[in-house]
Amino acid sequence: AHRPARQMAPTPFIEMTSGYFQRGVGLLPQQGDSSPWRLEQHYGKDSALFGGAVDDPALEFRRTDQPARTA
């Protein structure tokens, strides 16, 4: 996607209201105010942006109670 011609307000990538989070919010990644520059942090909603299955050998999907593979 290309950046839109209109001005876009930056918003925090993760929206939390905790004091410690708010004090450091300027140091954290930002996102845009609308799709596709804004993620909902919800797989069902965000997966439409991917356009299909994510098939990348760098990704490993496993249960957290199993040890990671070593190369």
Side-chain angles (χ1 to χ4, degrees):
H2 296 281
R3 190 174 186 167
R6 70 171 180 82
Q7 276 290 45
M8 187 175 0
T11 61
F13 187 69
I14 300 173
E15 296 177 11
M16 292 181 66
T17 57
S18 304
Y20 70 92
F21 189 85
Q22 291 300 313
R23 288 188 293 276
V25 75
L27 303 172
L28 298 171
Q30 299 282 303
Q31 64 180 348
D33 60 2
S34 62
S35 182
W37 299 275
R38 178 175 178 80
L39 295 178
E40 299 293 333
Q41 304 296 327
H42 183 281
Y43 179 79
K45 295 176 182 178
D46 294 335
S47 64
L49 296 173
F50 301 131
V54 177
D55 186 18
D56 187 328
L59 296 176
E60 177 182 348
F61 297 97
R62 63 181 170 83
R63 291 172 41 160
T64 58
D65 61 346
Q66 296 175 344
R69 291 184 303 177
T70 55

